[in-house]
Structure formats: structure tokens, C-alpha cells
Amino acid sequence: MTTSSSKRTLEKLLAPLEITFNGPDLWDLEVHEELFYDRVLAGGSMALGETYMDGWWDCPALDQFFDRVLGAGLDAKVINRMTEAWAVFRAWFSNLQRPARAHEIGEHHYDIGNDLYRAMLDKRMVYSCAYWTGADDLDQAQEHKLELICRKLRLEQGKKLLDIGCGWGGLAAYAAKNYGVEVVGLTVSKEQVGLACRICQTYPVDIRLMDYRCLDETFDAIVSVGMFEHVGHKNYRTYMEVVQRSLKPGGLFLLHTIGGNRSNRSSDPWMDKYIFPNSLIPSARQITAASEGLFVIEDWHSFGADYDKTLMAWHGNFNKAWPKLEPAYGQRFGRMWRYYLLSCAGSFRARKNQLWQIVFSRDGLPGGYRPQR
């Protein structure tokens, strides 16, 4: 297929979405390299992301472009079948998140630099969807989320909380300070451990560099925020079994996770290669199947639209800090990171991804559970 015919094919695909090449709207694509059309048509989402990183095209509002594309399901129409088939094959026959590989996500994503995350995130460095109800800014929205989690778990003085995927310790410090609990936090990121230990040093918080499967303790309550996306479909049941045996009778477990509308066994090729290797967004069906017979679902809270606003706030902070960060990270990284944040914002805006907080009990709470909002 020639470049001109590739361009015409893409124009026909984008026309119903009112997206044009070199057009006047914020969601239109500004193409700088004519080979762009051939490469994207042949390579799908991987080629789209890589050509952006290479500077072959720009878009004044990537989030609006992805909102239109993903909302119309165009991603399923323009896809490299060989790349997709290989990703599914790997995910089906290999356990990409087995214990020997548990620390890969930490090294690839979370260890790239605390300076980057400190500049991009809120003052507590909470790297997950904020809760914007009644909030005026990112700091307040993240505090609302932490408070919501603590209330949902019914935390109180003297209880012991396990935080699986504790990040830089924002939730652990908040719960220890405001609810008087003792906290054990697990992460597979060395950089997170170092900074979290400093952030939590005045509280009864124990931050450990540990895979969740190595745990052999019991807790009054367990929380996992933005970590289940790294577990993988082959390990969902194991994960739930670990949590179940670690939770004391009468205790509650809160799972905060991005959710997908369909059950998948592999993730987007570009996202897997450049941002979150070996990761997968779970579906409601996969979560309930993994927890069946182990837990009672007490509450299911969906607020995925809040992630759009959270990602746009992170992008705003990143842009402000980029002049100071660029010498250390380079231009190509900057384009990659913007593409990541804005494509995800567009996905949540299009409601292709969700955000769920699910509260589980081991055997069902006597008298029932009163949802917190």
C-alpha cells in the first residue's frame, strides 16, 4: 500500500470522528513525516505511540483525540494483528508476573526518579485516582480519597493495617496519623522504599521491599491501591488467597483498581513496552471469579470519571516542571510521558476504563455493611 493510499484509508477511518490531518481543531493531527501513514496503518497502537515519541506528529489536545478514537472503538479497527497475537500468546502460555519477575515493574516504572513523581503528584505523592467530590484541587482530592478508604475499612486505634502496593507511603502515613493504626506497607520499588521510610519515619509504619506472595502475617484490615493492575490474570486467584489468609476474621479488605469493560489476557502493546510492563487491567468478571468462595462483596464503588480529572492534573504539574526535568530525562521521554498521561485521560473520559473501590469481608458482616461516599 502506498503512502497516499494509506493516508486515504486513515482519513476514511477518522472522518466519522471529525478528526482530520493538519486541520484546525485541537484534536486534529499535525503530521510532520509522510511515512507516518504507512507505519501507523501497519503497526497499530504501537506505531501510533512510537511515531509520536519520534516527533512524526503532534496534536494540540491528545486527550481529546483519544476520547474520540477510543469512544468510537477505532482502536479495535486499526491494529497490528501479529503484534496482538504475540501479546496474547505470551500472556496465555507464560506467567509474566511470576515471583521471579515481580520486581520488573518497580525497576521499569516506579524507580525512574522520585524527582519526577514528586513534581507530578500531590503533596503526599499518591499515584492513583483521586476522589474529587467536594475537592477544589489535587491535594484536597487525594486527601478525600485517603479519608474515604480509612472510613470504608472502619479503621480505629490499635488496629493493624496491611497496604499492598504502598507506593511512597502516603496512605500509610495518613492512616497512622489520623486513625492511630499500625501499618505494614509492601512495594517492589527500591526508590519507593527509600522515600516512604523517610516520609513515614515518625509513625508506626513498616515499609518493606517485598512481593505480596511472601507475606506470612495476619491483619485487622487490608488495602491495595493501584497495585492489582500488576498482578496478572494467572495470579488473580493466588492474590485473593494471600489476602484471605492474611485477613483476620471480621476484617475488611478494600481493593482500589482500574477496571476494564471486557476480560483480557494482554494489554496494549505500546503501554506494555514503554509504561507498565507485564501489567493488565482486570474486568469485573475476573475480579469476582478470583474472589469467589473466599470473600463476600460488601460494596462496589465506581468513580472512573475522576481519573480523567486526576490525569489532567498530573499532566498540568508535569508540564510546569518539565523545563527542570528535561535535562535529566530528555525530549523523547517527555513526549512518551505526555502521550501516556493524555491517552489514559482520553480513555477514562470515553469510559473505556473504570475505577473501582471494592470492599470485601471474609464471611459477610453481621447486620450488613453501610457504604461510605
Side-chain angles (χ1 to χ4, degrees):
M1 187 175 287
T2 64
T3 296
S4 58
S5 60
S6 296
K7 181 178 180 180
R8 286 195 298 271
T9 299
L10 290 174
E11 284 175 334
K12 289 180 180 178
L13 287 168
L14 294 172
L17 312 183
E18 299 183 347
I19 298 173
T20 61
F21 295 117
N22 304 310
D25 293 312
L26 293 176
W27 52 81
D28 289 331
L29 305 191
E30 302 169 358
V31 178
H32 312 305
E33 169 57 65
E34 286 298 305
L35 293 177
F36 162 83
Y37 307 106
D38 288 341
R39 188 171 167 188
V40 169
L41 202 58
S45 66
M46 178 70 82
L48 186 66
E50 289 185 336
T51 53
Y52 184 82
M53 291 166 62
D54 293 337
W56 285 22
W57 63 281
D58 281 296
C59 178
L62 271 174
D63 54 307
Q64 295 184 39
F65 167 75
F66 278 105
D67 178 21
R68 288 170 175 260
V69 168
L70 297 175
L74 192 59
D75 55 317
K77 298 177 183 178
V78 183
I79 189 168
N80 182 304
R81 297 298 179 186
M82 289 300 294
T83 301
E84 181 192 34
W86 173 241
V88 172
F89 178 86
R90 288 178 67 230
W92 187 276
F93 290 101
S94 301
N95 186 350
L96 302 176
Q97 302 83 13
R98 60 185 181 273
R101 305 183 65 171
H103 292 264
E104 286 184 7
I105 182 63
E107 295 167 357
H108 183 94
H109 188 83
Y110 298 102
D111 287 348
I112 58 177
N114 285 336
D115 57 339
L116 168 67
Y117 292 110
R118 193 186 293 277
M120 184 179 81
L121 304 177
D122 65 298
K123 65 183 180 181
R124 290 187 174 88
M125 296 182 70
V126 178
Y127 192 22
S128 54
C129 180
Y131 189 56
W132 288 89
T133 299
D136 297 321
D137 55 38
L138 182 62
D139 284 341
Q140 196 173 60
Q142 290 292 15
E143 183 171 319
H144 285 188
K145 190 263 298 294
L146 301 182
E147 176 64 21
L148 182 67
I149 289 172
C150 292
R151 286 191 286 110
K152 285 183 176 182
L153 286 171
R154 299 181 175 181
L155 297 183
E156 57 186 32
Q157 182 84 29
K159 287 190 173 182
K160 189 174 182 180
L161 171 68
L162 171 65
D163 184 355
I164 304 175
C166 64
W168 290 274
L171 173 57
Y174 184 89
K177 177 183 178 181
N178 294 283
Y179 284 83
V181 296
E182 180 183 346
V183 186
V184 172
L186 309 183
T187 176
V188 292
S189 165
K190 294 179 182 178
E191 290 296 316
Q192 286 185 339
V193 167
L195 184 53
C197 286
R198 294 197 294 274
I199 290 173
C200 299
Q201 61 183 338
T202 59
Y203 305 111
V205 174
D206 178 13
I207 304 294
R208 304 175 187 174
L209 185 67
M210 179 190 291
D211 178 61
Y212 67 94
R213 285 163 287 204
C214 299
L215 194 66
D216 187 21
E217 298 172 55
T218 57
F219 300 84
D220 299 294
I222 299 176
V223 64
S224 183
V225 180
M227 178 271 175
F228 195 67
E229 300 88 330
H230 305 313
V231 169
H233 71 97
K234 285 183 175 291
N235 306 298
Y236 289 157
R237 183 66 177 184
T238 298
Y239 176 93
M240 290 295 182
E241 289 172 344
V242 170
V243 173
Q244 198 263 1
R245 74 170 186 245
S246 303
L247 185 63
K248 293 180 180 179
L252 294 173
F253 163 47
L254 186 146
L255 179 66
H256 173 119
T257 182
I258 297 172
N261 295 334
R262 294 187 177 186
S263 299
N264 293 306
R265 295 180 182 272
S266 62
S267 61
D268 174 77
W270 183 87
M271 197 69 69
D272 180 75
K273 180 177 180 179
Y274 291 101
I275 308 298
F276 295 116
N278 309 328
S279 298
L280 182 68
I281 295 174
S283 68
R285 180 180 181 180
Q286 289 169 322
I287 292 172
T288 55
S291 62
E292 184 174 337
L294 299 174
F295 293 106
V296 172
I297 296 176
E298 299 285 358
D299 183 40
W300 195 304
H301 185 188
S302 178
F303 53 99
D306 284 26
Y307 223 146
D308 174 15
K309 196 169 183 177
T310 303
L311 284 154
M312 295 306 294
W314 289 346
H315 178 256
N317 290 343
F318 175 76
N319 271 346
K320 290 178 185 177
W322 182 242
K324 293 182 179 180
L325 295 171
E326 185 174 12
Y329 290 90
Q331 185 181 40
R332 195 166 189 265
F333 177 92
R335 293 183 67 87
M336 177 192 76
W337 206 252
R338 289 189 183 92
Y339 188 89
Y340 150 54
L341 293 174
L342 294 176
S343 64
C344 289
S347 181
F348 280 99
R349 195 174 308 163
R351 301 310 306 276
K352 303 298 285 188
N353 286 332
Q354 314 305 324
L355 189 286
W356 299 322
Q357 280 191 356
I358 311 167
V359 178
F360 299 87
S361 66
R362 283 184 48 167
D363 302 302
L365 295 184
Y369 178 85
R370 179 172 293 180
Q372 300 289 317
R373 298 291 187 266

